[in-house]
Amino acid sequence: MGEKILMKGNEAVAEAAIRAGCRHYFAYPITPQNELIEYMAKRMPQVGGTCLQAESEVAAINMVLGAAACGVRAMTSSSSPGISLKQEGISYIAACRLPAVIINVQRGGPGLGNIAPMQCDYFQATRGGGHGDYYTPVLAPSSVQEFADMAPEAFDLAEKYLTPVLIFADGLLGQMMEPVTFEDDYGPQSDKSGWSLGCRKGRKNNHIINSLFIDPYVLKEKTEELFKVYDTIVKNEIRYEYYNVDANPKILVVAFGTVARVVKTAIDELKDQGLEVGLVRPITLWPFPYKAVKEAAKKVEKVITVELNMGQMEQDVRLAVGDTCPTQVIGKAGGVVFTPMEVISMLKENLA
Amino acid sequence: MKILAKRPKGLTDARLTYCPGCLHGVAHRIIGEAMEELDIVEKTIGIAPVGCSVFAYNFFACDMIQVPHGRAPAVATGMRRAQPDCVVFTYQGDGDLAAIGTAETVHAANRNENISIFFINNAIYGMTGGQMAPTTLPNMRATTAPYGRDVADMGYPMRVCEMLATLETPYYIERVSLLSPKDILKAKKAVKKALKYNKEKKGFCLVEMVSTCPTNWGLDPLASIDWAKKNMLPVFPVGVFKDEAKRQEASK
């Protein structure tokens, strides 16, 4: 463990990716993730890696596809509108069973929206995003340290399951500076010589990477294989955090990312006033921690989802809670970030 | 018994799935032969596009990948950065390369990526059934230009080699045709030159091959070739548009 360094989230995740062995990064500028590509442009040449500013988001994700097919750790990053452009490539990467990491430093939408932090790409992120029957694991950090830690974690997950993995941050996390520490060594990469292209070295048969299965029965079989992998991911990789859930709260909040941090501040403040509120913070948004939310919901009178959009994760929360107790969503559009005071007063209305 | 001709090592034994009279088989063969002659089958990655040649991953014997429509030059960029000692080629049609993939093509050329693009120009979308391509000739009919390509409305056919040759960086750009045995031998030379340049890490190479589409042109194979000679070659003249090796030699 190294010393603490004060860094922006965008820079910290870039540094962590490099330390995790990423030497191939392709991206296109977009606010609020520009520090990421700028950091890569500075650092990659120092470590003998590639940082290439692509002609478009579409090209960048396809460069990732090419590099990943050759067996290296490849990554791209963008913000909401750019992530929309990448969906074609992400669908192919998922179908081709290639490991890759994609970072979304979300901004306001729809359309060009604005450059304020939002969580409004939740549906896109957790429902595959592009065309076809597929999912991508989605990791949602809530601090700069966690953002950085998720880079090696995302690569490990991507290689373990041969899938694209999305790190789902927002403009606040990308721009905010916090102290962060890095491991010197994030462990070995997986052996990719069994399927990767271009490193033949005496291998007898050529390798073919493909997502075209013209025979419906073959495509059916391939998709079912993919979903067996997803079943394993759902079984093994759900991550979440409980906060103040054991304090007999009347209300349970579900919030992720930076919003969860604001909610934690509100919960601490309310505790001082003798009022107990619990929090479930989903860390993987897909797979979503349905059971964890349901279990916590059993002990409360109401579940409130707080998110920086008009209510997207709340659909998953309602799926989890069912008729266990009433639910409510507190959502906000435009990138107008919640303040702790605002959350406190909204929770107090429910506690009265 | 003496073997006079056989499949080159650059091709697999798979049966080609192209229409009768289609020249994709010829283009595949000369690329396969060039790979064998340069002894690069084991260090080459081929990229199949979307279009008639989407199944090319079954036909070439090197490592292969099938990629999104038009994105082959971007995928090739990622590959050649990850495997700098490999030879990377894309095989693309006119719709793939000059319509949906225009940006990827131009920028890969401008970065002088060490890749070869084999561009099959038959002035029509084949796989989807005869729609207008960026290279469809003026007044030529297509299913999406049923009254013929009206240049006032749809513009003129795009000349990819001429456009790319205006860039500083690309290493080698040549247009050939597949319309006679003599032309095919010339095409083979161009293909081999491109792959050799890539083997030597010289930079971006593009070989455009003027070809035919008997099925969607509604002509028999021989009539297609005659039609192409008469109508395609005046719009898409063969020739070398850029060859840095030659230029450097000449300036010595």
Side-chain angles (χ1 to χ4, degrees):
Chain A
M1 190 74 78
E3 59 180 325
K4 281 190 179 180
I5 311 168
L6 191 65
M7 282 179 113
K8 282 190 176 188
N10 282 335
E11 297 166 341
V13 75
E15 178 62 30
I18 288 170
R19 291 185 189 221
C22 174
R23 292 292 180 276
H24 293 84
Y25 169 84
F26 309 91
Y28 185 87
I30 182 170
T31 311
Q33 68 87 55
N34 291 320
E35 295 83 359
L36 217 165
I37 181 170
E38 286 164 1
Y39 190 88
M40 287 295 200
K42 193 177 72 187
R43 280 285 282 139
M44 276 299 193
Q46 295 170 355
V47 296
T50 293
C51 168
L52 183 62
Q53 180 173 333
E55 59 270 29
S56 69
E57 304 291 2
V58 178
I61 189 71
N62 280 286
M63 290 169 187
V64 168
L65 169 68
C70 288
V72 301
R73 288 196 156 178
M75 186 170 99
T76 186
S77 64
S78 188
S79 180
S80 309
I83 296 292
S84 293
L85 287 171
K86 290 185 196 295
Q87 294 302 333
E88 172 196 55
I90 296 173
S91 170
Y92 273 73
I93 292 169
C96 291
R97 302 287 318 277
L98 295 174
V101 173
I102 300 116
I103 300 175
N104 184 358
V105 185
Q106 288 172 92
R107 57 187 261 174
L112 197 54
N114 62 22
I115 56 170
M118 276 197 79
Q119 299 179 324
C120 52
D121 303 342
Y122 182 91
F123 286 152
Q124 183 194 57
T126 59
R127 267 64 181 168
H131 62 285
D133 232 348
Y134 76 98
Y135 291 96
T136 53
V138 182
L139 303 174
S142 77
S143 70
V144 170
Q145 182 68 59
E146 197 178 23
F147 195 8
D149 291 345
M150 278 176 178
E153 190 184 2
F155 276 114
D156 288 345
L157 278 173
E159 290 179 358
K160 187 173 174 190
Y161 297 102
L162 296 178
T163 175
V165 173
L166 188 64
I167 301 179
F168 200 58
D170 61 47
L172 188 58
L173 213 48
Q175 300 293 319
M176 183 166 68
M177 289 181 99
E178 282 189 302
V180 57
T181 60
F182 300 100
E183 304 280 338
D184 292 326
D185 182 8
Y186 284 102
Q189 300 185 25
S190 71
D191 175 19
K192 304 171 191 90
S193 61
W195 53 264
S196 66
L197 305 184
C199 39
R200 207 149 158 180
K201 286 181 197 136
R203 159 164 56 85
K204 198 165 170 279
N205 296 324
N206 67 332
H207 283 162
I208 298 173
I209 293 177
N210 174 38
S211 66
L212 175 67
F213 305 105
I214 208 86
D215 179 339
Y217 289 97
V218 177
L219 180 58
K220 177 175 175 283
E221 210 172 278
K222 289 282 175 188
T223 312
E224 285 166 0
E225 271 173 34
L226 196 56
F227 273 71
K228 271 186 200 144
V229 176
Y230 296 152
D231 287 346
T232 319
I233 296 173
V234 169
K235 209 173 127 200
N236 296 338
E237 306 298 346
I238 289 173
R239 307 190 194 346
Y240 61 91
E241 180 192 359
Y242 272 165
Y243 191 78
N244 208 40
V245 167
D246 296 330
N248 252 342
K250 259 175 83 178
I251 286 176
L252 179 74
V253 173
V254 185
F256 72 96
T258 46
V259 175
R261 283 181 74 176
V262 178
V263 172
K264 278 184 187 173
T265 307
I267 287 174
D268 294 347
E269 185 70 30
L270 287 167
K271 203 179 190 63
D272 291 344
Q273 298 173 25
L275 300 166
E276 297 293 356
V277 173
L279 168 73
V280 185
R281 176 172 76 92
I283 296 171
T284 51
L285 301 182
W286 189 87
F288 188 81
Y290 291 109
K291 263 189 203 156
V293 171
K294 190 176 175 73
E295 284 309 308
K298 282 178 185 167
K299 299 169 211 158
V300 299
E301 289 172 16
K302 190 175 184 180
V303 176
I304 301 176
T305 307
V306 185
E307 51 188 333
L308 271 179
N309 54 49
M310 293 301 282
Q312 297 192 20
M313 182 175 68
E314 67 97 17
Q315 293 191 3
D316 278 327
V317 173
R318 279 192 286 136
L319 277 175
V321 174
D323 53 9
T324 309
C325 69
T327 60
Q328 185 193 336
V329 58
I330 297 173
K332 199 150 62 154
V336 184
V337 180
F338 291 106
T339 64
M341 285 312 295
E342 196 180 355
V343 175
I344 287 166
S345 71
M346 286 187 290
L347 291 175
K348 266 189 167 172
E349 277 170 33
N350 279 282
L351 287 162
Chain B
M1 201 162 61
K2 200 176 154 198
I3 295 171
L4 294 174
K6 58 172 186 168
R7 286 215 175 201
K9 280 186 188 150
L11 295 183
T12 65
D13 291 334
R15 222 173 122 181
L16 298 184
T17 44
Y18 300 111
C19 300
C22 174
L23 297 176
H24 271 310
V26 174
H28 281 25
R29 174 154 190 123
I30 58 179
I31 295 169
E33 285 177 359
M35 280 199 280
E36 177 178 350
E37 287 164 24
L38 293 165
D39 193 22
I40 54 167
V41 178
E42 302 235 319
K43 61 179 292 191
T44 299
I45 310 173
I47 304 181
V50 172
C52 286
S53 47
V54 68
F55 293 112
Y57 58 82
N58 284 327
F59 305 141
F60 290 108
C62 54
D63 279 0
M64 292 294 298
I65 187 168
Q66 193 287 311
V67 303
H69 198 23
R71 315 300 174 218
V75 175
T77 297
M79 289 182 153
R80 87 113 183 142
R81 304 285 173 142
Q83 296 282 359
D85 294 329
C86 284
V87 172
V88 180
F89 76 85
T90 76
Y91 188 100
Q92 302 175 259
D94 38 54
D96 193 83
L97 181 134
I100 196 165
T102 313
E104 285 80 357
T105 306
V106 172
H107 286 274
N110 195 44
R111 288 190 302 263
N112 201 23
E113 297 290 348
N114 187 43
I115 59 171
S116 278
I117 292 182
F118 299 125
F119 167 34
I120 310 298
N121 179 4
N122 61 4
I124 201 120
Y125 281 66
M127 171 71 94
T128 42
Q131 292 81 12
M132 185 180 65
T135 51
T136 294
L137 303 180
N139 301 316
M140 181 177 165
R141 268 191 266 179
T143 58
T144 49
Y147 310 109
R149 181 177 186 149
D150 175 359
V151 295
D153 199 36
M154 296 154 183
Y156 279 86
M158 284 169 71
R159 296 188 180 99
V160 171
C161 288
E162 286 84 340
M163 262 168 48
L164 293 182
T166 66
L167 300 171
E168 285 294 320
T169 38
Y171 197 77
Y172 169 57
I173 295 170
E174 177 164 1
R175 183 184 290 122
V176 295
S177 93
L178 301 173
L179 303 176
S180 73
K182 196 177 155 198
D183 291 326
I184 291 167
L185 287 176
K186 279 189 188 163
K188 159 87 180 290
K189 257 189 182 169
V191 164
K192 195 171 167 184
K193 194 194 247 187
L195 291 173
K196 183 169 168 283
Y197 283 155
N198 284 157
K199 192 182 173 188
E200 294 163 357
K201 302 187 182 177
K202 298 286 193 197
F204 183 88
C205 303
L206 182 140
V207 178
E208 174 176 342
M209 301 180 214
V210 175
S211 188
T212 64
C213 182
T215 301
N216 288 299
W217 289 0
L219 296 170
D220 70 46
L222 287 177
S224 301
I225 285 174
D226 287 341
W227 191 90
K229 281 181 182 167
K230 197 174 151 217
N231 298 288
M232 295 272 287
L233 291 180
V235 180
F236 302 110
V238 298
V240 178
F241 294 87
K242 212 155 188 270
D243 189 338
E244 271 300 298
K246 279 235 168 105
R247 195 188 62 79
Q248 283 167 14
E249 213 171 88
S251 66
K252 262 178 199 168

